[in-house]
Amino acid sequence: MVSTPARDTAPDAATDPDGRPYANGFRPATLEWDGWTCADCIVCATGRQCADCRACTNFAFPYPPHWARPRAEGDPERGVEAFGGPGGMSTGRNLVDDTGDWVLVEFDQHAAATARAAGHWVIEADIRTLDPRHPVLRHVSRFHGSPPCQTLSDAGKRAGWSAAEIAELQSVMWQASEAFGFLEVDDLCSLYGGPHAYSGHVLDGMEDHPDADGWGDLCGGGHLPPTMTPADFRTWAASTVSDERTALMAEMLIWPMCLVQIGAPLVSITMEQSANLLKQSPGLAEAIQSEITSVEGFGWAWCSWQIADAADYGAATHRVRAWMVATRDDEPRYADHVDGDQAARAMWWHVLRRTGHLPEWTPELGRRIDPYQGRPVLPKVTVATALDLPEDWWADTRGKRGINPATGKPKGGGSFPLNAVGPCVTAPWYGIKFRPAHVPQGEGTATITIPELGALVGFPRDYPWTYIPPRKNARGIRNLAQLPADAVSPLQAAAISAAVQGQDWYEPAAAHQAAIYRLEEHTTAVVQPVPAPVAEDRVIEQLALFPAA
């Protein structure tokens, strides 16, 4: 199963499904497949399972063997999760819907092994080596992606902040609808070398064409066939940026568009990224939103962008992320409409203050989801409560450092009190030291474990964090710490997942929070009151994700 060459490289003229030849050497980017599925399998016809059938297993690879069988009514929904990491999104999704049939794609071997140990089907591969037009994907109805954020995050080199690069990549992503067969045109006749203009009139010099006096279904408007393979589009996107990881954002259009093009009943797309995607590079978010909602693209009913903090949904540490929710036919659960202009001024106030105007290209922010729906927020959990440590203790993340004489504080930061929600967990936290307040900075002796790091993010304490040692006795503590540091918070994931599938998130998330932080054993968890409505003149408060958070 390989992609056919694009344009002019095949020896024979290409024809459409009706056998009509394309004009001027045009050859649409299609996938060679003879139509075979499990329905044609003589082995499975005897009652055997696809997993026991070599033909089905080979056909479905690298997806589950049973995906070779067309999905029947009542079967679990099938979903693909790109950049699945160690399984944070999947863990949260299972809190609200554990009936789905999902496949995760993940490149990092440690993250893939962790997600696999947690019970998920994982394809350990560079996503760019997979073709989203695989025949077994014709029954996928859900898609989620968490593209790498290194080029966008504050901690990286910020290549994804380059205005010139983002403009180039945005221009490429705007053309995804044409590349993958969603561009509607008034004149298909010319594609086949036919004699008619847009209005149906015969073109000069084409009067003797055998179809000159006729006007068929293919003479008028319609959709152009796909003009690029996923591999071609990926190469094009990567050519516009200095760091190829930024170009991985294009997968958020490549996969959904190819899935729909091959007939998949896709009904929702969700995405998680660094908050800087919206704050510093909103053009990419705009490109994705426009291709999903515009009539030239999907024409879907809903696509919202917003920023969320995992601490607002019960996590003991902050984790601020940009989230997208898109649905095909209806508004998602928890749909909320706000003043988009006011939200834009709040989101990009730093640009407005510096330049006097908003960024040129931004997504529409008048839509969002509000999972709380006026209900009390989940308890605020301090790091001390989460780790069962005294509230008056401190954490040092960067070892012993000198004191700044001007401030009286340790140089370089890296210390925080335990009586509050903690900062975002990062990989260097594997060396964190806890100490009473009277103990000098850097001289604490209490340490942290990987399960405790995971719990701070929102994972169960028995989550199977896994390291694949390259040599004997390698412990990989730094690699293990990187896993929860990179993961989606399951508490946040539950709220977003529930917006498009499964049951309401509130009670499952509350039970999950109480279990991982042992809240029944503590009295220090403080229930936050529901904030008052945000005043219109306090635009900076609009950076909050939800009115109740």
Side-chain angles (χ1 to χ4, degrees):
M1 185 182 65
V2 296
S3 298
T4 60
R7 292 184 187 255
D8 299 321
T9 58
D12 301 319
T15 59
D16 71 0
D18 296 322
R20 187 170 181 174
Y22 295 107
N24 302 319
F26 179 88
R27 188 173 184 85
T30 58
L31 188 71
E32 290 183 351
W33 170 48
D34 62 7
W36 187 94
T37 69
C38 178
D40 305 307
C41 182
I42 59 175
V43 176
C44 293
T46 65
R48 297 180 66 179
Q49 297 296 315
C50 292
D52 299 321
C53 172
R54 182 179 298 275
C56 286
T57 299
N58 291 342
F59 172 67
F61 183 83
Y63 302 93
H66 70 270
W67 278 25
R69 186 184 302 274
R71 178 179 176 272
E73 185 176 354
D75 286 349
E77 283 190 314
R78 296 180 186 177
V80 172
E81 181 178 336
F83 315 103
M89 188 71 191
S90 299
T91 300
R93 181 169 53 241
N94 286 347
L95 291 177
V96 298
D97 184 3
D98 60 0
T99 65
D101 187 1
W102 282 77
V103 167
L104 279 60
V105 180
E106 174 53 43
F107 178 69
D108 181 81
Q109 63 173 337
H110 312 299
T114 298
R116 194 176 293 115
H120 307 299
W121 182 282
V122 183
I123 299 173
E124 185 179 329
D126 184 332
I127 195 169
R128 293 167 295 187
T129 66
L130 301 179
D131 193 325
R133 301 170 301 172
H134 193 300
V136 302
L137 299 178
R138 293 175 301 112
H139 302 281
V140 169
S141 56
R142 307 282 181 184
F143 182 78
H144 172 80
S146 296
C149 64
Q150 291 93 333
T151 65
L152 291 164
S153 69
D154 292 320
K157 295 182 179 180
R158 306 180 183 180
W161 292 26
S162 168
E165 286 191 10
I166 294 305
E168 290 289 332
L169 182 56
Q170 179 187 20
S171 179
V172 171
M173 293 170 66
W174 275 337
Q175 298 176 70
S177 55
E178 178 179 0
F180 300 118
F182 291 90
L183 184 63
E184 188 171 7
V185 295
D186 296 325
D187 175 27
L188 281 176
C189 195
S190 62
L191 184 65
Y192 300 94
H196 304 114
Y198 293 122
S199 59
H201 297 304
V202 178
L203 297 170
D204 291 342
M206 300 289 284
E207 292 83 0
D208 294 331
H209 193 283
D211 296 329
D213 296 329
W215 181 261
D217 293 339
L218 296 176
C219 293
H223 289 87
L224 291 178
T227 60
M228 298 185 75
T229 66
D232 292 335
F233 196 82
R234 287 161 173 159
T235 299
W236 188 20
S239 70
T240 65
V241 294
S242 59
D243 191 319
E244 62 182 8
R245 291 175 295 183
T246 306
L248 290 173
M249 285 289 296
E251 299 295 329
M252 295 306 301
L253 290 176
I254 293 172
W255 278 78
M257 287 194 163
C258 287
L259 290 174
V260 172
Q261 182 63 37
I262 65 174
L266 197 66
V267 294
S268 73
I269 308 168
T270 53
M271 174 182 173
E272 179 262 0
Q273 238 303 357
S274 165
N276 284 330
L277 173 66
L278 284 179
K279 293 181 178 180
Q280 305 296 342
S281 305
L284 296 183
E286 188 279 336
I288 294 173
Q289 186 183 68
S290 65
E291 291 292 279
I292 289 176
T293 60
S294 70
V295 294
E296 292 84 6
F298 274 176
W300 276 19
W302 178 281
C303 183
S304 60
W305 280 98
Q306 58 201 70
I307 289 179
D309 184 353
D312 293 333
Y313 300 94
T317 52
H318 294 286
R319 183 152 301 220
V320 180
R321 293 290 186 266
W323 286 91
M324 184 196 78
V325 173
T327 49
R328 185 182 70 190
D329 299 318
D330 302 300
E331 293 186 346
R333 180 188 280 158
Y334 319 131
D336 189 24
H337 295 266
V338 297
D339 185 332
D341 291 336
Q342 183 177 346
R345 291 193 299 272
M347 180 68 71
W348 298 292
W349 64 271
H350 57 293
V351 178
L352 189 63
R353 181 179 60 184
R354 187 177 69 253
T355 67
H357 55 79
L358 296 174
E360 182 177 5
W361 296 104
T362 62
E364 168 57 45
L365 299 183
R367 295 175 172 185
R368 63 180 181 180
I369 62 167
D370 174 10
Y372 275 109
Q373 297 291 292
R375 295 172 287 193
V377 300
L378 295 183
K380 173 184 176 182
V381 178
T382 67
V383 175
T385 295
L387 301 183
D388 198 23
L389 292 171
E391 289 282 328
D392 60 349
W393 277 31
W394 281 68
D396 300 323
T397 64
R398 302 176 64 181
K400 186 174 180 60
R401 302 181 311 284
I403 301 298
N404 185 330
T407 65
K409 298 180 179 180
K411 296 178 180 178
S415 299
F416 60 89
L418 304 191
N419 64 351
V421 173
C424 182
V425 171
T426 61
W429 279 31
Y430 73 90
I432 205 168
K433 296 294 180 62
F434 300 109
R435 59 181 171 86
H438 68 275
V439 172
Q441 187 276 328
E443 296 185 11
T445 58
T447 59
I448 197 167
T449 65
I450 300 300
E452 288 173 333
L453 278 179
L456 290 178
V457 176
F459 283 89
R461 291 177 184 265
D462 60 352
Y463 200 72
W465 304 106
T466 304
Y467 172 66
I468 309 298
R471 60 187 182 279
K472 186 177 180 180
N473 298 324
R475 299 174 59 205
I477 301 300
R478 176 64 168 75
N479 300 82
L480 285 168
Q482 190 71 55
L483 297 175
D486 288 343
V488 176
S489 170
L491 287 160
Q492 203 170 24
I496 298 298
S497 296
V500 296
Q501 66 185 102
Q503 63 179 311
D504 177 52
W505 76 286
Y506 192 77
E507 291 186 4
H512 181 74
Q513 183 202 40
I516 61 174
Y517 297 136
R518 307 182 182 110
L519 297 188
E520 69 280 358
E521 301 175 11
H522 296 276
T523 60
T524 54
V526 180
V527 178
Q528 298 174 325
V530 178
V534 178
E536 291 188 5
D537 58 342
R538 296 169 63 191
V539 296
I540 189 61
E541 292 189 16
Q542 292 293 324
L543 290 173
L545 174 57
F546 306 119

